[in-house]
Amino acid sequence: MESIDTFIDQLPKAELHLHLVGSASVPTVLELARRHSSDAGGAGGVVPRTEAELAAFFEFRDFPHFADVYHAVSALIREPADVAELVTGAARDLAGQNVRYAELTVTPYTWTSAGMPAAGITEALDIGADAARREHGVRIGYVFDIASELGGEAATATLDHALSCPPEALTGFGLAGIEQARPAFRDVFREVFAAAIAAGLHSVPHAGEMSGPETIWEALTGLRAERIGHGISCLDDPALVAYLRERQVPLEVCPTSNVCTRQVPDLASHPLPRLLADGLFVTLNSDDPPMFGTTLTQEYRRVASVLGLDRGQLVSLALNGVRASFLDREAKHALIEEISEVASGLRPAEDVSAETSA
C-alpha cells in the first residue's frame, strides 16, 4: 500500500471554504505590496514587502488582529485585473493539490466601497473562472459574503451586487468577519439573506468560530443556513449537536485556521474527532491557506498525522466535500467516481459510492 502522503496527494478533492483574498500566495501579496508601496497611508505602507516580514505579519494574536491583517491585504486589490489574477492563482494552486472544484468566498464590498465598479468585479470573476477551468481544470463557484463588522450598508450593497450583476458562477451568500458584531445588525442580515435565498442563492454563513452556539442557532433559524462555516462551538450545546446530526447540516471545518486565529490552543486539541464521533457532517477546508501556512492537502495530512484519522475517514471527508458542494448532479457523480477509483485499493468502489446515495 502506498504511503499516506501519496494517498492524500492522489485523492480528488473539493474545497468549500476558501476566501479569495486569503488564497493569495506569498509572492502575489509581496508583489501587490511593492506595487502600492508609494501610496501614502495606504495598504501598501502597511503590508510588508519582504517574505520574512510578511511571515511575521501573518502571525495573529487573535481573530480581530487577523481581521485587520486580512482587510489590509484586501486593500491591495485595486483594479479588476487584480481580482481575475487572484482567481487564476488560486486555481493553479488548487490544481496542484488534485482539487477539482472550489467555492471561493468573495467580499466585493471591500472593493466597491473603495471605488471599484461592481460590473468590473463581476467581469473579472467571470474571466477568472473561465481561465481556471480552461487552464487548470478547476471548476469555480462563488460565494458573495459580508464582513459582519461592516454592518448594514455592506449587507445591502452586497445583496444589490449579487442581484443586479452577479458573476455567472455565483452560487452562495455568506456572512463572515467578527461574529460578536452581528447582533446589532441582526434584522438587516436576516432581510438580505431572505432576499438572496429568494433569488436562488444558497445560504452559507460562518458561525460558531469565535462565539458560542447561539450564533449557530441564529445562522440556522434567522439566516436559513444550508451549511455552516466552522461551527466548532456547536459541541457546547447538546441540543444543537442533535439538531445538526439529525438534519446532517454540513460543517466547513478548518483546523489550522482555528489554531492560527487562537480559537483552539493547538491542533492536537482541535474538536474535529469529536465532531466526527458525534455523527456530524464534516467537510475539511483550508480557509486562508497562505496566511495560515497551510493548503487543503496539508489539512488532510495534519488531521491524519496529528488527529489520527485513518484512510477511510479521509475518503469520507473528501466525499463529504463533494456531497455538500453546489455542483450540479452530473459533476458530483463524476467527482465521486474519481474518489471511488482512488479509494478502491482501500475498499470496494461501490461501497464508497453508496455513501453518497442518501
Side-chain angles (χ1 to χ4, degrees), residues 68-263:
D68 289 342
V69 169
Y70 187 95
H71 289 312
V73 174
S74 183
L76 295 175
I77 311 304
R78 303 296 176 85
E79 55 190 37
D82 296 336
V83 177
E85 183 180 343
L86 287 185
V87 177
T88 55
R92 180 183 60 248
D93 293 341
L94 291 165
Q97 301 171 69
N98 228 3
V99 176
R100 300 285 192 264
Y101 173 72
E103 290 173 9
L104 289 175
T105 295
V106 183
T107 314
Y109 180 75
T110 57
W111 302 323
T112 57
S113 63
M116 195 184 302
I121 295 170
T122 292
E123 182 181 13
L125 292 172
D126 286 340
I127 290 170
D130 179 68
R133 190 164 186 178
R134 187 181 65 254
E135 299 173 10
H136 303 291
V138 177
R139 289 186 59 167
I140 298 292
Y142 292 117
V143 173
F144 271 11
D145 89 328
I146 307 154
S148 299
E149 61 272 19
L150 299 183
E153 183 176 348
T156 55
T158 305
L159 176 67
D160 180 68
H161 189 166
L163 299 186
S164 64
C165 59
E168 185 176 347
L170 184 63
T171 188
F173 202 75
L175 183 64
I178 297 174
E179 293 175 9
Q180 288 80 357
R182 294 184 189 181
F185 308 108
R186 186 195 69 175
D187 290 344
V188 68
F189 288 158
R190 287 183 175 185
E191 290 171 5
V192 298
F193 268 79
I197 292 166
L201 296 177
H202 300 281
S203 174
V204 288
H206 293 46
E209 177 185 11
M210 68 198 77
S211 62
E214 67 281 355
T215 310
I216 304 174
W217 280 120
E218 170 59 20
L220 292 166
T221 60
L223 306 181
R224 294 162 54 191
E226 295 179 49
R227 293 194 319 240
I228 297 291
H230 297 285
I232 58 175
S233 70
C234 70
L235 292 170
D236 296 334
D237 183 346
L240 178 56
V241 170
Y243 182 98
L244 294 169
R245 179 174 54 241
E246 178 183 345
R247 290 161 179 79
Q248 287 292 281
V249 178
L251 303 180
E252 305 160 4
V253 177
C254 311
T256 298
S257 167
N258 298 150
V259 174
C260 289
T261 60
R262 314 296 183 184
Q263 306 312 302

Side-chain angles (χ1 to χ4, degrees), residues 24-37 44 47-55 57-58 73 76:
S25 67
V26 167
T28 296
V29 174
L30 292 174
E31 172 56 30
L32 289 168
R34 291 164 187 154
R35 189 182 304 167
H36 301 302
S37 62
V47 180
R49 298 190 296 279
T50 70
E51 189 167 343
E53 291 172 329
L54 188 63
F57 192 61
F58 286 165
V73 174
L76 295 175

